[in-house]
Amino acid sequence: MNRKNLTEAELQELLLRMKKNYTYDAKSGRLISSRLGRALRGQKRNKGGYLCIYCRVGKKLIHVYLHHAVWAVCNNCWPEQQIDHINGNKGDNRIENLREVSGSENKRNTLYPWKPNKDTGLPGVYKTKRGYQIVVRPNRYFFRDRYEAFCHLTLLGRRFKTIDKSNH
């Protein structure tokens, strides 16, 4: 949702409409339509992979990120900053998995896809003449053992997730 295009009154109207039309299911982390009794699945994914729903405020049709809608219904207010999925799964909108953070904090929680290097079998670890290398910009670090290099890489804050091959 682009907050710049909406006035404070329109945001409040949207929040009231959401609280009236949807209830939050804590077990599944989904919003349930009061009218239809079904869970909202989200109608579209944006480029970042987030689920969106469409809502009408006056004559405007706007998209709202599903995790923002869950946050608003549960906390009775729109988030001032970004909403972070703690476990990195963009489809997991349970309220205990969502937190309001700054943009830099959200960036630090990024999960990198697990793409093992063909020579070492480990992501982010490269074989060189000097041994094994990891790159944490702007620095390069060299190690004798590839597992030691990977351990240091994960300690420096890079987190990895496995790629689900069934979706590709």
Side-chain angles (χ1 to χ4, degrees), residues 126-145:
Y126 307 96
K127 184 153 179 55
T128 65
K129 292 178 182 177
R130 292 175 61 186
Y132 295 93
Q133 170 185 319
I134 62 172
V135 178
V136 181
R137 287 191 175 104
N139 301 326
R140 294 172 186 223
Y141 302 94
F142 295 92
F143 300 91
R144 293 183 185 172
D145 182 47

Side-chain angles (χ1 to χ4, degrees), residues 107-115 123 153 157-163:
K107 198 94 165 145
R108 271 185 266 159
N109 194 29
T110 302
L111 295 175
Y112 297 93
W114 178 277
K115 293 180 182 175
L153 183 63
R158 294 187 70 184
R159 297 177 202 97
F160 298 95
K161 65 178 177 179
T162 57
I163 295 176

Side-chain angles (χ1 to χ4, degrees), residues 12-30:
Q12 289 304 317
E13 180 187 342
L14 181 60
L15 179 61
L16 290 174
R17 190 173 286 182
M18 292 207 131
K19 289 193 68 70
K20 177 183 170 192
N21 294 332
Y22 305 115
T23 57
Y24 173 70
D25 178 24
K27 195 171 195 179
S28 66
R30 294 185 173 201

